[in-house]
Amino acid sequence: MPEGDTIFRTAARLRPLLAGREIHAARAREPSFPAGTLVGRAIAAVEACGKHLLMHLDDGRTVHSHLGMHGSWHWYPPGAPWQKDRRLAALVLEVPGSICVCFSPKVLQLLSADQLRRHPHLTQLGPDLLAERVDEAEVLRRFRVHDRTPIGEAVMNQSIVAGIGNVYKSEILFLTRTNPLTTVGQLSDERLLSIAHTARQWLAKNLTGYPRRTRSALDGQRLWVYGRSGKACFVCGQRIQLQRQGDLGRTTYWCPGCQVA
């Protein structure tokens, strides 16, 4: 499940393969995507913005992808076998020495410079938790706009902070002992900043490429609560609960013993 750490790591891996290189061939699954116009253009930069990946071209346009739940970018040497079905390839970019393939994205767009500046989602993104510097005052300001929203929904709102997905949502709220049903307005500034800081810390720790973890133990269990509904909490022994939150009914896992309302 791609979250902020996955996209940051993907951008870091694609950057040396693509940045400064000319696209020799390009093809897209959807005829509406003008892949042919990419040929001959050079990729100026590859950037991660929360859960969005941006490939900036030398003519001012940008390839924007959001991987959603099941998408991924792969890279292969020319002639190497692909790890996924070619029918799932939404975009294929060939540059000297590499073939980069976007599989099953939620969003794939080619944006003009003006469209990028006015993009309804990208322009609303909150501070990226994996940026070199995060403005804490801006994080608090954005949280406080949503004082009536349960924190389990707010931390997933990419216009507040960018990069937290469903796994980190449950894990970070557990680590900060925050009940997911508590509204933002019921939480102190210190608690909100603790949630953002803890998320930033674990997103950064998981940039290694190993399976994502928020827990280190010899029992092999990498996560505290996510995906453990009905099982005993590692800390207090109470049964992990599952709650669906928000308009999309995203699953939140939490411990009623450790995360008291």
Side-chain angles (χ1 to χ4, degrees), residues 114-246:
D114 187 58
Q115 288 172 324
L116 180 63
R117 283 193 299 269
R118 299 170 182 270
H119 196 280
H121 299 301
L122 294 172
T123 55
Q124 298 300 315
L125 287 177
D128 188 333
L129 291 176
L130 283 172
E132 186 174 340
R133 180 181 174 276
V134 174
D135 185 338
E136 292 186 348
E138 180 63 10
V139 169
L140 282 177
R141 186 191 72 77
R142 288 174 179 257
F143 264 122
R144 290 303 178 204
V145 173
H146 300 272
D147 270 349
R148 296 184 179 182
T149 303
I151 188 64
E153 296 178 37
V155 293
M156 290 276 286
N157 185 336
Q158 302 299 298
S159 72
I160 298 176
V161 290
I164 298 177
N166 219 36
V167 177
Y168 280 115
K169 178 261 301 281
S170 294
E171 293 297 296
I172 297 310
L173 293 182
F174 176 83
L175 288 167
T176 57
R177 299 300 188 260
T178 306
N179 187 289
L181 305 181
T182 302
T183 64
V184 171
Q186 292 174 292
L187 299 173
S188 67
D189 288 355
E190 291 74 19
R191 176 64 68 88
L192 293 172
L193 288 178
S194 175
I195 290 169
H197 175 77
T198 304
R200 177 175 167 83
Q201 178 184 38
W202 282 102
L203 282 162
K205 284 184 177 181
N206 281 298
L207 291 177
T208 59
Y210 294 107
R212 184 181 294 132
R213 69 168 56 247
T214 57
R215 180 176 182 268
S216 297
L218 296 178
D219 59 13
Q221 296 294 321
R222 296 179 290 104
L223 302 174
W224 288 100
V225 293
Y226 184 82
R228 301 191 64 247
S229 176
K231 296 180 180 179
C233 173
F234 292 122
V235 175
C236 72
Q238 289 204 36
R239 298 296 174 186
I240 302 300
Q241 303 293 309
L242 183 152
Q243 177 80 28
R244 296 196 178 276
Q245 292 188 282

